[in-house]
Amino acid sequence: MSAKFITAAALICVSQAAFAANPNVGGAPMYEEKNIVENAVNSADHTTLIAAVKAAGLVDALMGPGPFTVFAPVNDAFAALPAGTVDTLLKPENKAMLTKVLTAHVVAGDLKLADLRAKVGADGYANLQTLSGDALSVKFRGNKAMVYSESRNIGVITIADVDQSNGVIHVIDTVLVPK
């Protein structure tokens, strides 16, 4: 093998490592050039979230330029809510309440885990304000990141740093209930 070939192969490996692909979410590839909604609709784990986003009329907002950081609960997180909660929230007369719940999962900015770690203050938390006006706090225990709502329910980030054209998604295992 020539030295030029080996050098080219090494550069390709370094380039691939530096630009690692987004993880799959819900069995679907997530494309960095697509926006939050365009990617999330393909995730089998986020069908309830997408139905809720549509019912709340938030599709256009989450397809907008952002950037947004979305803590995206999986279907099992919605299923773990008390019986009837999701059906009640999806009713047209509860659109304002549904919008508050959903926007309590969205923060302005493109905040990767490293950014959240950098925001950790003396209290041990990265304190954030959501688009609903509610507070979220992120605490790290080793490599595990936990998200706390004002109602003190706790979600764990199960898939982090899923890049989007208009921000980032962090998949979580809990619906964060605002006050």
Side-chain angles (χ1 to χ4, degrees):
M1 265 191 216
S2 75
K4 286 183 183 180
F5 178 77
I6 293 171
T7 302
L11 283 174
I12 290 169
C13 288
V14 169
S15 294
Q16 288 173 340
F19 300 103
N22 265 345
N24 282 357
V25 175
M30 298 288 114
Y31 299 103
E32 196 171 330
E33 65 275 4
K34 291 187 176 185
N35 66 49
I36 291 164
V37 174
E38 290 171 332
N39 273 319
V41 297
N42 294 315
S43 168
D45 291 342
H46 290 92
T47 56
T48 305
L49 177 61
I50 289 300
V53 166
K54 288 177 181 177
L58 294 173
V59 170
D60 289 341
L62 290 175
M63 290 179 79
F68 305 107
T69 299
V70 177
F71 296 94
V74 294
N75 294 338
D76 286 345
F78 285 99
L81 292 171
T85 301
V86 173
D87 291 335
T88 299
L89 285 171
L90 291 175
K91 291 181 179 177
E93 62 268 23
N94 295 323
K95 184 176 178 180
M97 186 184 321
L98 177 61
T99 299
K100 180 162 175 72
V101 169
L102 294 174
T103 56
H105 290 79
V106 183
V107 175
D110 186 338
L111 301 171
K112 310 276 191 300
L113 276 188
D115 301 316
L116 294 170
R117 247 184 226 285
K119 288 183 169 290
V120 172
D123 64 355
Y125 294 89
N127 296 304
L128 310 168
Q129 184 171 358
T130 67
L131 296 187
S132 68
D134 294 280
L136 289 182
S137 298
V138 180
K139 184 176 184 89
F140 291 89
R141 291 206 176 126
N143 288 330
K144 183 189 252 186
M146 297 173 305
V147 185
Y148 294 77
S149 74
E150 286 183 298
S151 297
R152 303 308 303 158
N153 56 329
I154 304 166
V156 175
I157 296 176
T158 58
I159 302 173
D161 296 345
V162 185
D163 288 322
Q164 314 292 300
S165 65
N166 62 344
V168 64
I169 291 175
H170 300 294
V171 177
I172 59 173
D173 65 355
T174 303
V175 175
L176 303 168
V177 180
K179 272 191 166 179

PDB file of all heavy atoms in Angstrom, residues 133-166:
ATOM      1  N   GLY A 133     -42.554  29.150  30.365  1.00  0.00           N
ATOM      2  CA  GLY A 133     -42.250  29.995  31.521  1.00  0.00           C
ATOM      3  C   GLY A 133     -41.932  29.207  32.767  1.00  0.00           C
ATOM      4  O   GLY A 133     -41.604  29.774  33.811  1.00  0.00           O
ATOM      5  N   ASP A 134     -42.021  27.892  32.675  1.00  0.00           N
ATOM      6  CA  ASP A 134     -41.710  27.033  33.818  1.00  0.00           C
ATOM      7  C   ASP A 134     -40.212  26.770  33.890  1.00  0.00           C
ATOM      8  O   ASP A 134     -39.482  27.006  32.931  1.00  0.00           O
ATOM      9  CB  ASP A 134     -42.475  25.711  33.677  1.00  0.00           C
ATOM     10  CG  ASP A 134     -43.975  25.920  33.788  1.00  0.00           C
ATOM     11  OD1 ASP A 134     -44.465  26.034  34.911  1.00  0.00           O
ATOM     12  OD2 ASP A 134     -44.639  25.991  32.723  1.00  0.00           O
ATOM     13  N   ALA A 135     -39.777  26.252  35.018  1.00  0.00           N
ATOM     14  CA  ALA A 135     -38.368  25.943  35.218  1.00  0.00           C
ATOM     15  C   ALA A 135     -38.122  24.445  35.057  1.00  0.00           C
ATOM     16  O   ALA A 135     -38.954  23.628  35.436  1.00  0.00           O
ATOM     17  CB  ALA A 135     -37.919  26.392  36.607  1.00  0.00           C
ATOM     18  N   LEU A 136     -36.987  24.129  34.481  1.00  0.00           N
ATOM     19  CA  LEU A 136     -36.452  22.761  34.456  1.00  0.00           C
ATOM     20  C   LEU A 136     -35.060  22.837  35.028  1.00  0.00           C
ATOM     21  O   LEU A 136     -34.367  23.839  34.878  1.00  0.00           O
ATOM     22  CB  LEU A 136     -36.347  22.217  33.034  1.00  0.00           C
ATOM     23  CG  LEU A 136     -37.595  21.856  32.270  1.00  0.00           C
ATOM     24  CD1 LEU A 136     -37.227  21.281  30.902  1.00  0.00           C
ATOM     25  CD2 LEU A 136     -38.434  20.855  33.039  1.00  0.00           C
ATOM     26  N   SER A 137     -34.642  21.750  35.644  1.00  0.00           N
ATOM     27  CA  SER A 137     -33.273  21.656  36.148  1.00  0.00           C
ATOM     28  C   SER A 137     -32.685  20.335  35.696  1.00  0.00           C
ATOM     29  O   SER A 137     -33.376  19.313  35.701  1.00  0.00           O
ATOM     30  CB  SER A 137     -33.249  21.727  37.676  1.00  0.00           C
ATOM     31  OG  SER A 137     -33.770  22.970  38.110  1.00  0.00           O
ATOM     32  N   VAL A 138     -31.430  20.376  35.307  1.00  0.00           N
ATOM     33  CA  VAL A 138     -30.730  19.169  34.876  1.00  0.00           C
ATOM     34  C   VAL A 138     -29.610  18.905  35.866  1.00  0.00           C
ATOM     35  O   VAL A 138     -28.843  19.815  36.211  1.00  0.00           O
ATOM     36  CB  VAL A 138     -30.167  19.314  33.447  1.00  0.00           C
ATOM     37  CG1 VAL A 138     -29.432  18.044  33.025  1.00  0.00           C
ATOM     38  CG2 VAL A 138     -31.286  19.635  32.453  1.00  0.00           C
ATOM     39  N   LYS A 139     -29.541  17.675  36.342  1.00  0.00           N
ATOM     40  CA  LYS A 139     -28.489  17.259  37.275  1.00  0.00           C
ATOM     41  C   LYS A 139     -27.789  16.051  36.675  1.00  0.00           C
ATOM     42  O   LYS A 139     -28.437  15.171  36.108  1.00  0.00           O
ATOM     43  CB  LYS A 139     -29.087  16.906  38.629  1.00  0.00           C
ATOM     44  CG  LYS A 139     -28.055  16.558  39.679  1.00  0.00           C
ATOM     45  CD  LYS A 139     -28.705  16.319  41.027  1.00  0.00           C
ATOM     46  CE  LYS A 139     -27.679  16.069  42.086  1.00  0.00           C
ATOM     47  NZ  LYS A 139     -27.204  17.268  42.731  1.00  0.00           N
ATOM     48  N   PHE A 140     -26.493  16.022  36.832  1.00  0.00           N
ATOM     49  CA  PHE A 140     -25.697  14.916  36.300  1.00  0.00           C
ATOM     50  C   PHE A 140     -25.218  14.032  37.430  1.00  0.00           C
ATOM     51  O   PHE A 140     -24.777  14.521  38.467  1.00  0.00           O
ATOM     52  CB  PHE A 140     -24.485  15.455  35.531  1.00  0.00           C
ATOM     53  CG  PHE A 140     -24.859  16.148  34.255  1.00  0.00           C
ATOM     54  CD1 PHE A 140     -25.146  17.500  34.238  1.00  0.00           C
ATOM     55  CD2 PHE A 140     -24.946  15.433  33.071  1.00  0.00           C
ATOM     56  CE1 PHE A 140     -25.511  18.137  33.062  1.00  0.00           C
ATOM     57  CE2 PHE A 140     -25.316  16.061  31.892  1.00  0.00           C
ATOM     58  CZ  PHE A 140     -25.588  17.415  31.888  1.00  0.00           C
ATOM     59  N   ARG A 141     -25.322  12.737  37.207  1.00  0.00           N
ATOM     60  CA  ARG A 141     -24.728  11.726  38.096  1.00  0.00           C
ATOM     61  C   ARG A 141     -23.863  10.867  37.206  1.00  0.00           C
ATOM     62  O   ARG A 141     -24.367   9.981  36.513  1.00  0.00           O
ATOM     63  CB  ARG A 141     -25.804  10.891  38.777  1.00  0.00           C
ATOM     64  CG  ARG A 141     -26.586  11.692  39.781  1.00  0.00           C
ATOM     65  CD  ARG A 141     -27.175  10.799  40.859  1.00  0.00           C
ATOM     66  NE  ARG A 141     -27.830  11.636  41.850  1.00  0.00           N
ATOM     67  CZ  ARG A 141     -29.066  11.499  42.239  1.00  0.00           C
ATOM     68  NH1 ARG A 141     -29.806  10.534  41.740  1.00  0.00           N
ATOM     69  NH2 ARG A 141     -29.574  12.301  43.138  1.00  0.00           N
ATOM     70  N   GLY A 142     -22.593  11.182  37.156  1.00  0.00           N
ATOM     71  CA  GLY A 142     -21.699  10.518  36.212  1.00  0.00           C
ATOM     72  C   GLY A 142     -22.127  10.872  34.809  1.00  0.00           C
ATOM     73  O   GLY A 142     -22.284  12.044  34.489  1.00  0.00           O
ATOM     74  N   ASN A 143     -22.385   9.869  33.975  1.00  0.00           N
ATOM     75  CA  ASN A 143     -22.820  10.105  32.606  1.00  0.00           C
ATOM     76  C   ASN A 143     -24.337  10.172  32.469  1.00  0.00           C
ATOM     77  O   ASN A 143     -24.853  10.358  31.371  1.00  0.00           O
ATOM     78  CB  ASN A 143     -22.261   9.027  31.670  1.00  0.00           C
ATOM     79  CG  ASN A 143     -20.784   9.197  31.464  1.00  0.00           C
ATOM     80  OD1 ASN A 143     -20.262  10.312  31.503  1.00  0.00           O
ATOM     81  ND2 ASN A 143     -20.086   8.093  31.266  1.00  0.00           N
ATOM     82  N   LYS A 144     -25.059   9.987  33.569  1.00  0.00           N
ATOM     83  CA  LYS A 144     -26.526  10.019  33.537  1.00  0.00           C
ATOM     84  C   LYS A 144     -26.993  11.454  33.778  1.00  0.00           C
ATOM     85  O   LYS A 144     -26.562  12.107  34.726  1.00  0.00           O
ATOM     86  CB  LYS A 144     -27.082   9.105  34.620  1.00  0.00           C
ATOM     87  CG  LYS A 144     -28.594   9.007  34.624  1.00  0.00           C
ATOM     88  CD  LYS A 144     -29.068   8.261  35.850  1.00  0.00           C
ATOM     89  CE  LYS A 144     -29.571   6.905  35.471  1.00  0.00           C
ATOM     90  NZ  LYS A 144     -30.171   6.201  36.617  1.00  0.00           N
ATOM     91  N   ALA A 145     -27.889  11.927  32.903  1.00  0.00           N
ATOM     92  CA  ALA A 145     -28.466  13.264  33.056  1.00  0.00           C
ATOM     93  C   ALA A 145     -29.936  13.117  33.412  1.00  0.00           C
ATOM     94  O   ALA A 145     -30.686  12.423  32.723  1.00  0.00           O
ATOM     95  CB  ALA A 145     -28.306  14.057  31.773  1.00  0.00           C
ATOM     96  N   MET A 146     -30.327  13.784  34.488  1.00  0.00           N
ATOM     97  CA  MET A 146     -31.708  13.730  34.954  1.00  0.00           C
ATOM     98  C   MET A 146     -32.316  15.118  34.855  1.00  0.00           C
ATOM     99  O   MET A 146     -31.658  16.116  35.156  1.00  0.00           O
ATOM    100  CB  MET A 146     -31.756  13.202  36.378  1.00  0.00           C
ATOM    101  CG  MET A 146     -31.226  11.779  36.448  1.00  0.00           C
ATOM    102  SD  MET A 146     -31.065  11.122  38.097  1.00  0.00           S
ATOM    103  CE  MET A 146     -30.073  12.312  38.897  1.00  0.00           C
ATOM    104  N   VAL A 147     -33.570  15.165  34.425  1.00  0.00           N
ATOM    105  CA  VAL A 147     -34.276  16.424  34.230  1.00  0.00           C
ATOM    106  C   VAL A 147     -35.402  16.498  35.249  1.00  0.00           C
ATOM    107  O   VAL A 147     -36.219  15.585  35.349  1.00  0.00           O
ATOM    108  CB  VAL A 147     -34.843  16.521  32.797  1.00  0.00           C
ATOM    109  CG1 VAL A 147     -35.470  17.883  32.567  1.00  0.00           C
ATOM    110  CG2 VAL A 147     -33.771  16.230  31.755  1.00  0.00           C
ATOM    111  N   TYR A 148     -35.432  17.603  35.996  1.00  0.00           N
ATOM    112  CA  TYR A 148     -36.430  17.805  37.048  1.00  0.00           C
ATOM    113  C   TYR A 148     -37.390  18.913  36.630  1.00  0.00           C
ATOM    114  O   TYR A 148     -36.962  19.979  36.190  1.00  0.00           O
ATOM    115  CB  TYR A 148     -35.745  18.251  38.354  1.00  0.00           C
ATOM    116  CG  TYR A 148     -34.851  17.220  38.968  1.00  0.00           C
ATOM    117  CD1 TYR A 148     -33.581  16.966  38.459  1.00  0.00           C
ATOM    118  CD2 TYR A 148     -35.265  16.498  40.081  1.00  0.00           C
ATOM    119  CE1 TYR A 148     -32.750  16.012  39.032  1.00  0.00           C
ATOM    120  CE2 TYR A 148     -34.436  15.546  40.663  1.00  0.00           C
ATOM    121  CZ  TYR A 148     -33.185  15.309  40.133  1.00  0.00           C
ATOM    122  OH  TYR A 148     -32.363  14.368  40.700  1.00  0.00           O
ATOM    123  N   SER A 149     -38.696  18.660  36.811  1.00  0.00           N
ATOM    124  CA  SER A 149     -39.691  19.708  36.576  1.00  0.00           C
ATOM    125  C   SER A 149     -39.973  20.408  37.900  1.00  0.00           C
ATOM    126  O   SER A 149     -39.575  19.935  38.966  1.00  0.00           O
ATOM    127  CB  SER A 149     -40.975  19.109  36.015  1.00  0.00           C
ATOM    128  OG  SER A 149     -41.686  18.435  37.041  1.00  0.00           O
ATOM    129  N   GLU A 150     -40.709  21.519  37.822  1.00  0.00           N
ATOM    130  CA  GLU A 150     -41.112  22.231  39.041  1.00  0.00           C
ATOM    131  C   GLU A 150     -42.040  21.380  39.900  1.00  0.00           C
ATOM    132  O   GLU A 150     -42.146  21.592  41.096  1.00  0.00           O
ATOM    133  CB  GLU A 150     -41.813  23.544  38.691  1.00  0.00           C
ATOM    134  CG  GLU A 150     -40.868  24.610  38.202  1.00  0.00           C
ATOM    135  CD  GLU A 150     -41.581  25.916  37.937  1.00  0.00           C
ATOM    136  OE1 GLU A 150     -42.467  25.937  37.062  1.00  0.00           O
ATOM    137  OE2 GLU A 150     -41.239  26.905  38.610  1.00  0.00           O
ATOM    138  N   SER A 151     -42.711  20.426  39.282  1.00  0.00           N
ATOM    139  CA  SER A 151     -43.595  19.526  40.028  1.00  0.00           C
ATOM    140  C   SER A 151     -42.822  18.376  40.652  1.00  0.00           C
ATOM    141  O   SER A 151     -43.409  17.474  41.224  1.00  0.00           O
ATOM    142  CB  SER A 151     -44.691  18.972  39.102  1.00  0.00           C
ATOM    143  OG  SER A 151     -45.491  20.016  38.629  1.00  0.00           O
ATOM    144  N   ARG A 152     -41.516  18.406  40.489  1.00  0.00           N
ATOM    145  CA  ARG A 152     -40.574  17.440  41.083  1.00  0.00           C
ATOM    146  C   ARG A 152     -40.662  16.053  40.464  1.00  0.00           C
ATOM    147  O   ARG A 152     -40.214  15.080  41.073  1.00  0.00           O
ATOM    148  CB  ARG A 152     -40.725  17.347  42.600  1.00  0.00           C
ATOM    149  CG  ARG A 152     -40.557  18.652  43.347  1.00  0.00           C
ATOM    150  CD  ARG A 152     -39.319  19.447  43.070  1.00  0.00           C
ATOM    151  NE  ARG A 152     -38.085  18.719  43.303  1.00  0.00           N
ATOM    152  CZ  ARG A 152     -36.928  19.031  42.755  1.00  0.00           C
ATOM    153  NH1 ARG A 152     -36.842  20.046  41.943  1.00  0.00           N
ATOM    154  NH2 ARG A 152     -35.848  18.335  43.003  1.00  0.00           N
ATOM    155  N   ASN A 153     -41.232  15.931  39.271  1.00  0.00           N
ATOM    156  CA  ASN A 153     -41.078  14.636  38.620  1.00  0.00           C
ATOM    157  C   ASN A 153     -39.752  14.659  37.878  1.00  0.00           C
ATOM    158  O   ASN A 153     -39.243  15.716  37.502  1.00  0.00           O
ATOM    159  CB  ASN A 153     -42.279  14.243  37.755  1.00  0.00           C
ATOM    160  CG  ASN A 153     -42.649  15.240  36.704  1.00  0.00           C
ATOM    161  OD1 ASN A 153     -42.461  16.430  36.862  1.00  0.00           O
ATOM    162  ND2 ASN A 153     -43.205  14.763  35.627  1.00  0.00           N
ATOM    163  N   ILE A 154     -39.157  13.485  37.738  1.00  0.00           N
ATOM    164  CA  ILE A 154     -37.792  13.376  37.238  1.00  0.00           C
ATOM    165  C   ILE A 154     -37.759  12.485  36.008  1.00  0.00           C
ATOM    166  O   ILE A 154     -38.274  11.367  36.031  1.00  0.00           O
ATOM    167  CB  ILE A 154     -36.870  12.771  38.319  1.00  0.00           C
ATOM    168  CG1 ILE A 154     -36.943  13.591  39.611  1.00  0.00           C
ATOM    169  CG2 ILE A 154     -35.432  12.679  37.803  1.00  0.00           C
ATOM    170  CD1 ILE A 154     -36.338  12.892  40.808  1.00  0.00           C
ATOM    171  N   GLY A 155     -37.147  12.999  34.964  1.00  0.00           N
ATOM    172  CA  GLY A 155     -36.940  12.224  33.746  1.00  0.00           C
ATOM    173  C   GLY A 155     -35.466  11.973  33.538  1.00  0.00           C
ATOM    174  O   GLY A 155     -34.627  12.772  33.959  1.00  0.00           O
ATOM    175  N   VAL A 156     -35.155  10.886  32.907  1.00  0.00           N
ATOM    176  CA  VAL A 156     -33.773  10.561  32.571  1.00  0.00           C
ATOM    177  C   VAL A 156     -33.606  10.729  31.066  1.00  0.00           C
ATOM    178  O   VAL A 156     -34.454  10.283  30.287  1.00  0.00           O
ATOM    179  CB  VAL A 156     -33.419   9.112  32.985  1.00  0.00           C
ATOM    180  CG1 VAL A 156     -32.019   8.728  32.520  1.00  0.00           C
ATOM    181  CG2 VAL A 156     -33.550   8.951  34.493  1.00  0.00           C
ATOM    182  N   ILE A 157     -32.534  11.386  30.667  1.00  0.00           N
ATOM    183  CA  ILE A 157     -32.227  11.500  29.245  1.00  0.00           C
ATOM    184  C   ILE A 157     -31.684  10.149  28.799  1.00  0.00           C
ATOM    185  O   ILE A 157     -30.637   9.704  29.274  1.00  0.00           O
ATOM    186  CB  ILE A 157     -31.224  12.633  28.966  1.00  0.00           C
ATOM    187  CG1 ILE A 157     -31.844  13.986  29.344  1.00  0.00           C
ATOM    188  CG2 ILE A 157     -30.790  12.617  27.495  1.00  0.00           C
ATOM    189  CD1 ILE A 157     -30.908  15.171  29.203  1.00  0.00           C
ATOM    190  N   THR A 158     -32.417   9.494  27.905  1.00  0.00           N
ATOM    191  CA  THR A 158     -32.031   8.154  27.455  1.00  0.00           C
ATOM    192  C   THR A 158     -31.244   8.188  26.143  1.00  0.00           C
ATOM    193  O   THR A 158     -30.465   7.287  25.880  1.00  0.00           O
ATOM    194  CB  THR A 158     -33.266   7.250  27.299  1.00  0.00           C
ATOM    195  OG1 THR A 158     -34.172   7.854  26.375  1.00  0.00           O
ATOM    196  CG2 THR A 158     -33.961   7.044  28.654  1.00  0.00           C
ATOM    197  N   ILE A 159     -31.502   9.195  25.324  1.00  0.00           N
ATOM    198  CA  ILE A 159     -30.727   9.428  24.095  1.00  0.00           C
ATOM    199  C   ILE A 159     -30.486  10.928  24.035  1.00  0.00           C
ATOM    200  O   ILE A 159     -31.438  11.716  24.024  1.00  0.00           O
ATOM    201  CB  ILE A 159     -31.471   8.965  22.821  1.00  0.00           C
ATOM    202  CG1 ILE A 159     -31.824   7.487  22.894  1.00  0.00           C
ATOM    203  CG2 ILE A 159     -30.616   9.244  21.571  1.00  0.00           C
ATOM    204  CD1 ILE A 159     -32.705   7.005  21.737  1.00  0.00           C
ATOM    205  N   ALA A 160     -29.232  11.324  24.015  1.00  0.00           N
ATOM    206  CA  ALA A 160     -28.882  12.745  24.056  1.00  0.00           C
ATOM    207  C   ALA A 160     -28.326  13.224  22.723  1.00  0.00           C
ATOM    208  O   ALA A 160     -27.877  12.428  21.895  1.00  0.00           O
ATOM    209  CB  ALA A 160     -27.837  12.978  25.149  1.00  0.00           C
ATOM    210  N   ASP A 161     -28.356  14.541  22.575  1.00  0.00           N
ATOM    211  CA  ASP A 161     -27.664  15.220  21.475  1.00  0.00           C
ATOM    212  C   ASP A 161     -28.069  14.724  20.095  1.00  0.00           C
ATOM    213  O   ASP A 161     -27.230  14.427  19.250  1.00  0.00           O
ATOM    214  CB  ASP A 161     -26.148  15.098  21.643  1.00  0.00           C
ATOM    215  CG  ASP A 161     -25.620  15.789  22.883  1.00  0.00           C
ATOM    216  OD1 ASP A 161     -26.353  16.608  23.481  1.00  0.00           O
ATOM    217  OD2 ASP A 161     -24.474  15.517  23.268  1.00  0.00           O
ATOM    218  N   VAL A 162     -29.368  14.651  19.847  1.00  0.00           N
ATOM    219  CA  VAL A 162     -29.864  14.288  18.526  1.00  0.00           C
ATOM    220  C   VAL A 162     -30.009  15.605  17.755  1.00  0.00           C
ATOM    221  O   VAL A 162     -30.970  16.353  17.942  1.00  0.00           O
ATOM    222  CB  VAL A 162     -31.201  13.530  18.597  1.00  0.00           C
ATOM    223  CG1 VAL A 162     -31.616  13.060  17.208  1.00  0.00           C
ATOM    224  CG2 VAL A 162     -31.101  12.344  19.555  1.00  0.00           C
ATOM    225  N   ASP A 163     -29.024  15.897  16.923  1.00  0.00           N
ATOM    226  CA  ASP A 163     -28.976  17.177  16.218  1.00  0.00           C
ATOM    227  C   ASP A 163     -30.084  17.312  15.189  1.00  0.00           C
ATOM    228  O   ASP A 163     -30.417  16.360  14.481  1.00  0.00           O
ATOM    229  CB  ASP A 163     -27.617  17.355  15.531  1.00  0.00           C
ATOM    230  CG  ASP A 163     -26.496  17.614  16.517  1.00  0.00           C
ATOM    231  OD1 ASP A 163     -26.734  18.339  17.503  1.00  0.00           O
ATOM    232  OD2 ASP A 163     -25.386  17.100  16.296  1.00  0.00           O
ATOM    233  N   GLN A 164     -30.627  18.508  15.104  1.00  0.00           N
ATOM    234  CA  GLN A 164     -31.679  18.871  14.159  1.00  0.00           C
ATOM    235  C   GLN A 164     -31.238  20.148  13.449  1.00  0.00           C
ATOM    236  O   GLN A 164     -30.374  20.869  13.947  1.00  0.00           O
ATOM    237  CB  GLN A 164     -32.984  19.163  14.915  1.00  0.00           C
ATOM    238  CG  GLN A 164     -33.350  18.158  15.987  1.00  0.00           C
ATOM    239  CD  GLN A 164     -33.719  16.807  15.444  1.00  0.00           C
ATOM    240  OE1 GLN A 164     -34.649  16.672  14.671  1.00  0.00           O
ATOM    241  NE2 GLN A 164     -32.990  15.785  15.836  1.00  0.00           N
ATOM    242  N   SER A 165     -31.872  20.485  12.347  1.00  0.00           N
ATOM    243  CA  SER A 165     -31.521  21.724  11.661  1.00  0.00           C
ATOM    244  C   SER A 165     -31.899  22.947  12.482  1.00  0.00           C
ATOM    245  O   SER A 165     -31.333  24.021  12.297  1.00  0.00           O
ATOM    246  CB  SER A 165     -32.201  21.795  10.291  1.00  0.00           C
ATOM    247  OG  SER A 165     -33.611  21.874  10.436  1.00  0.00           O
ATOM    248  N   ASN A 166     -32.847  22.803  13.409  1.00  0.00           N
ATOM    249  CA  ASN A 166     -33.291  23.931  14.222  1.00  0.00           C
ATOM    250  C   ASN A 166     -33.136  23.675  15.723  1.00  0.00           C
ATOM    251  O   ASN A 166     -33.895  24.196  16.532  1.00  0.00           O
ATOM    252  CB  ASN A 166     -34.740  24.298  13.881  1.00  0.00           C
ATOM    253  CG  ASN A 166     -35.730  23.184  14.158  1.00  0.00           C
ATOM    254  OD1 ASN A 166     -35.347  22.031  14.321  1.00  0.00           O
ATOM    255  ND2 ASN A 166     -37.006  23.537  14.205  1.00  0.00           N
TER     256      ASN A 166
END
